[in-house]
Amino acid sequence: TQLLEQSPQFLSIQEGENLTVYCNSSSVFSSLQWYRQEPGEGPVLLVTVVTGGEVKKLKRLTFQFGDARKDSSLHITAAQPGDTGLYLCAGADSWGKLQFGAGTQVVVTP
Amino acid sequence: DTAVSQTPKYLVTQMGNDKSIKCEQNLGHDTMYWYKQDSKKFLKIMFSYNNKELIINETVPNRFSPKSPDKAHLNLHINSLELGDSAVYFCASSQDRAGLGNTIYFGEGSWLTVV
């Protein structure tokens, strides 16, 4: 049973469009992290959100943590081909156990 | 310098063999992990060590045995390999446990194919 559900599983858009990836759970996490993984490499951390309702911005990426700390979203504005990759959300409990979602494969075409 | 390095990057082996994957981190971190990523890209934790002590041991067949000779190394030994063991195995490290908001740094992965 997956604790974290990501949607959509796959997203193909054109350069300049906006996109949103969702990460939902019935569990409460002490923190939630978003990673991007490119082919042949390990996941790379993009952001960590800790406080319910928190919003963090990283250039064209906006991350939001739900008020109840059970869900999160990642919004990319004016997507570029360099944003192509597998986006993974991961929830951490207080013991350091990180549970990953199944990932959203994003493809941005020029 | 690579922060988290694991070897080998690719490994093709026959069923029934025993193999090891080695991992080293040069970040001075206290916590190290092994994750398994299956063909559907689902990443699942297997083990975690903090200061050489096992702190997370998920439901993993006992054919998998981690060994941490020191804080900078966490190796994974797999006995009697099965077809279902084919996956990408990622080593990772963080200053302290992930739940405390610490950044986890992943290695580049070891592609294991069992034939």
Side-chain angles (χ1 to χ4, degrees):
Chain A
T1 303
Q2 243 172 273
L3 287 180
L4 281 163
E5 299 285 341
Q6 277 188 246
S7 61
Q9 289 184 319
F10 183 81
L11 198 52
S12 180
I13 61 171
Q14 292 210 311
E15 184 175 2
E17 293 182 339
N18 301 333
L19 68 97
T20 302
V21 177
Y22 299 94
C23 178
N24 297 295
S25 174
S26 57
S27 301
V28 176
F29 296 105
S30 62
S31 66
L32 194 138
Q33 300 178 338
W34 283 94
Y35 292 79
R36 182 169 70 208
Q37 184 179 13
E38 299 190 20
E41 297 180 9
V44 175
L45 181 68
L46 295 173
V47 79
T48 300
V49 285
V50 179
T51 307
E54 183 177 2
V55 176
K56 277 192 175 177
K57 291 194 175 185
L58 188 67
K59 296 183 181 177
R60 293 175 295 98
L61 278 61
T62 301
F63 304 85
Q64 187 160 6
F65 201 13
D67 291 340
R69 292 188 289 134
K70 293 182 180 180
D71 52 81
S72 181
S73 64
L74 156 61
H75 183 79
I76 302 180
T77 304
Q80 298 176 1
D83 296 325
T84 293
L86 180 70
Y87 288 82
L88 297 158
C89 68
D93 62 24
S94 57
W95 290 98
K97 192 168 155 182
L98 209 59
Q99 300 279 1
F100 279 85
T104 296
Q105 181 64 52
V106 172
V107 175
V108 183
T109 53
Chain B
D1 279 346
T2 305
V4 181
S5 58
Q6 48 184 116
T7 56
K9 188 172 176 73
Y10 300 101
L11 183 56
V12 181
T13 187
Q14 289 190 323
M15 275 195 304
N17 284 350
D18 303 337
K19 291 294 177 186
S20 292
I21 308 172
K22 295 185 176 182
C23 179
E24 175 181 7
Q25 54 95 2
N26 62 6
L27 298 167
H29 288 167
D30 289 339
T31 307
M32 294 186 74
Y33 313 80
W34 276 109
Y35 281 84
K36 178 181 179 181
Q37 189 170 44
D38 61 25
S39 57
K40 295 184 178 178
K41 304 296 185 185
F42 184 53
L43 201 59
K44 187 173 167 60
I45 190 167
M46 300 173 69
F47 303 102
S48 176
Y49 274 72
N50 182 265
N51 280 312
K52 300 195 315 176
E53 182 182 343
L54 181 66
I55 57 171
I56 294 174
N57 184 354
E58 286 298 280
T59 308
V60 176
N62 57 15
R63 299 181 294 104
F64 290 78
S65 52
K67 280 190 174 55
S68 182
D70 54 62
K71 273 189 355 178
H73 295 84
L74 180 61
N75 304 322
L76 182 65
H77 187 74
I78 316 171
N79 288 326
S80 304
L81 278 155
E82 300 177 357
L83 292 177
D85 297 332
S86 296
V88 185
Y89 291 85
F90 285 98
C91 178
S93 75
S94 59
Q95 182 58 56
D96 203 331
R97 291 171 296 170
L100 303 178
N102 292 279
T103 299
I104 295 183
Y105 295 85
F106 284 84
E108 293 188 334
S110 294
W111 268 250
L112 172 65
T113 302
V114 183
V115 296

